[in-house]
């Protein structure tokens, strides 16, 4: 389920940011900004759903016992309630595990395909003539193969390389790809597809990154070759050659009409203004969508058990803060002598393990998780005010409450020589094994 949640968040985030790009920036000549923005979308798509939770507790009421008092309460070691009696006897694996296995298998196939393509490029490097020139390595290919680049390697037909009238524009174009390290962008796009091959936006994003690279390379080539008509004719003459590898930059990449139009296009100031207004809003929505709600488990893990809290704090307690006012007595969170279950902590765990029964409906539905139960040990040792701080489902919540209410009287807590009421939280983890 965590993988599914990750994918949903990523698809939603990519869709919002990519839509802003398509509406306001794609047709603009702000090519460097477009490259940065597309890379930012790509990175957010990968790591955005993994963002830590945003703390919105300041929006909650100040007397919220979960966010404000949980850190003051004494929490026992977590109890795990495990069942080996799965409802489905015919299947060893849950649907989530099967989905995860299939998903990772397809990701592995895509990764292997990427490695195969990189090996193919390396084979071209090793089996063809190489010339080092102007800080680049030119790989001379057989005729009728398109020119393309990959990192600092420029692959070009030997006949074209030797024809300075044709090669000048092509080499200028491919040099821009190499200098600006466009291959890194494409490999990151491939990584996104490997991780999120099910996400259609990842493929659209890769295509837009390639498109922007070609626009950037065309602009760079025209700076060296100012004859616009001659360069456009060069594009037309090489448009029949095919792309041979999707992780390389091919001079004849099939964006001919868009590339020619971009060379003479002017920016739309109105779209840029609207884009600048919408962009921060889109990022804000994306951050909120990616952020997970805070979990109380983190706070629970930082707390100590009953014996540790008692030994560490009993000597230094000068004044005990009550968490709420009662008509009869105050309720304390920590006292000099903490309440004790009959027989001690091990007996407490045994009592819960012996009495909690995993609800059949929860087993059938595959429901599991932590239930946080709060209760008060009264001055006479009885257990009252049993309630759920954070639940999982009605079945698991009700079972946790039922068993806690069954507990025998505790040895009450003592503060300044008097028996007092003390509040407890316990996390009970229900696990299907």
């Amino acid at each position: 389920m965590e993988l599914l949640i990750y994918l949903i968040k990523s698809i939603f985030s990519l869709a919002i940011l990519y839509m802003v790009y398509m509406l306001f920036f794609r047709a603009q000549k702000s090519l460097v900004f477009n490259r940065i923005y597309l890379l930012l979308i790509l990175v957010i798509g990968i790591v955005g759903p993994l963002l830590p939770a945003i703390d919105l507790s300041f929006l909650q009421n100040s007397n919220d016992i979960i966010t404000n008092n949980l850190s003051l309460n004494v929490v026992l070691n977590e109890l795990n309630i495990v069942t080996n009696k799965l409802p489905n006897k015919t299947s060893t694996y849950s649907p989530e595990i099967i989905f995860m296995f299939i998903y990772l298998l397809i990701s592995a196939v895509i990764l292997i395909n990427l490695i195969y393509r990189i090996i193919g490029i390396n084979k071209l490097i090793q089996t063809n003539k190489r010339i080092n020139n102007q800080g680049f390595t030119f790989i001379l290919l057989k005729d009728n193969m398109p020119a393309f680049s990959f990192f600092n390697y420029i692959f070009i037909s030997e006949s074209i390389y030797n024809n300075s009238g044709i090669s000048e524009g092509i080499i200028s174009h491919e040099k821009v790809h190499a200098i600006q390290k466009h291959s890194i962008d494409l490999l990151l796009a491939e990584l996104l597809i490997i991780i999120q091959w099910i996400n259609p936006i990842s493929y659209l994003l890769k295509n837009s990154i390639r498109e922007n690279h070609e626009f950037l390379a065309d602009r760079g080539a025209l700076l060296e070759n100012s004859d616009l008509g001659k360069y456009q004719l060069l594009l037309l003459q090489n448009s029949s050659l095919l792309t041979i590898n999707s992780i390389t930059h091919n001079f004849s990449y099939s964006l001919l009409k868009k590339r020619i139009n971009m060379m003479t296009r002017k920016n739309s100031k109105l779209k840029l203004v609207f884009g600048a207004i919408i962009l921060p809003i889109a990022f804000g929505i994306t951050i909120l969508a990616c952020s997970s709600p805070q979990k109380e488990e983190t706070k629970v893990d930082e707390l100590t058990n009953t014996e540790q809290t008692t030994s560490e704090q009993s000597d230094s307690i000068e004044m005990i803060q009550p968490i709420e006012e009662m008509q009869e007595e105050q309720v304390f969170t920590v006292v000099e002598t903490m309440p004790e279950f009959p027989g001690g902590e091990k007996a407490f765990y045994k009592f819960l393990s012996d009495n909690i029964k995993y609800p059949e409906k929860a087993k059938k539905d595959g429901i599991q998780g932590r239930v946080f139960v709060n209760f008060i040990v009264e001055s006479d040792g009885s257990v009252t005010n049993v309630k759920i701080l954070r639940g999982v489902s009605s079945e698991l919540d009700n079972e946790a409450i039922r068993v806690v209410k069954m507990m025998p009287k505790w040895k009450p807590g003592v503060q300044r020589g008097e028996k007092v009421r003390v509040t407890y939280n316990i996390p009970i983890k229900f696990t299907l094994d």
Side-chain angles (χ1 to χ4, degrees), residues 48-272:
L50 305 177
L51 285 175
I54 296 177
D55 185 4
L56 299 178
S57 58
F58 64 90
L59 297 176
Q60 300 178 0
N61 191 293
S62 60
N63 63 3
D64 188 342
I65 190 169
I66 295 178
T67 57
N68 296 306
N69 293 326
L70 185 58
S71 60
L72 299 175
N73 292 346
V74 178
V75 181
L76 297 177
N77 288 330
E78 183 177 290
L79 176 68
N80 291 283
I81 305 300
V82 182
T83 177
N84 292 314
K85 300 177 181 179
L86 294 176
N88 187 358
K89 298 294 184 180
T90 61
S91 177
T92 307
Y93 303 104
S94 65
E96 291 82 1
I97 294 177
I98 295 174
F99 172 75
M100 177 73 75
F101 175 78
I102 295 174
Y103 191 92
L104 294 179
L105 180 62
I106 296 176
S107 293
V109 171
I110 299 173
L111 174 60
I112 292 171
N113 179 262
L114 174 62
I115 294 173
Y116 176 79
R117 284 179 281 158
I118 294 175
I119 292 174
I121 295 173
N122 184 65
K123 186 177 179 180
L124 288 176
I125 295 173
Q126 300 301 324
T127 58
N128 288 279
K129 183 179 179 181
R130 286 180 284 180
I131 297 177
N132 293 319
N133 187 10
Q134 302 176 7
F136 303 94
T137 300
F138 290 86
I139 309 299
L140 304 186
L141 307 174
K142 63 181 70 173
D143 290 344
N144 298 322
M145 291 190 69
F148 64 93
S149 61
F150 185 68
F151 286 97
N152 214 42
Y153 293 94
I154 296 177
F155 300 77
I156 188 169
S157 168
E158 186 170 4
S159 61
I160 293 179
Y161 180 80
N162 293 325
N163 186 339
S164 59
I166 301 177
S167 64
E168 183 180 357
I170 295 177
I171 291 175
S172 297
H173 179 96
E174 298 303 333
K175 281 167 59 177
V176 175
H177 285 309
I179 292 171
Q180 297 184 4
K181 308 299 182 185
H182 291 170
S183 295
I184 295 176
D185 302 8
L186 287 184
L187 288 178
L188 288 174
E190 293 286 346
L191 176 61
L192 177 64
I193 291 175
I194 291 170
I195 298 173
Q196 301 182 25
W197 55 265
I198 202 172
N199 183 354
I201 306 296
S202 61
Y203 301 93
L204 296 175
L205 183 60
K206 178 186 173 183
N207 289 337
S208 292
I209 289 173
R210 290 178 62 89
E211 177 183 88
N212 182 252
H213 287 172
E214 296 305 318
F215 296 157
L216 283 166
D218 287 336
R219 185 166 69 181
L222 284 172
L223 292 177
E224 293 188 19
N225 305 273
S226 58
D227 191 336
L228 177 61
K230 181 179 178 181
Y231 184 76
Q232 290 176 339
L233 179 61
L234 185 65
L235 289 180
L236 291 170
Q237 290 173 341
N238 288 271
S239 63
S240 60
L241 298 178
L242 300 176
T243 299
I244 65 170
N245 196 316
S246 64
I247 58 171
T248 61
H249 292 90
N250 297 266
F251 181 77
S252 56
Y253 181 60
S254 57
L255 290 169
L256 186 60
K257 184 176 180 180
K258 292 180 181 179
R259 290 169 62 183
I260 292 176
N261 287 338
M262 183 58 72
M263 294 175 195
T264 56
R265 185 186 299 274
K266 294 183 179 180
N267 281 333
S268 169
K269 294 182 179 179
L270 184 61
K271 279 191 175 183
L272 287 175

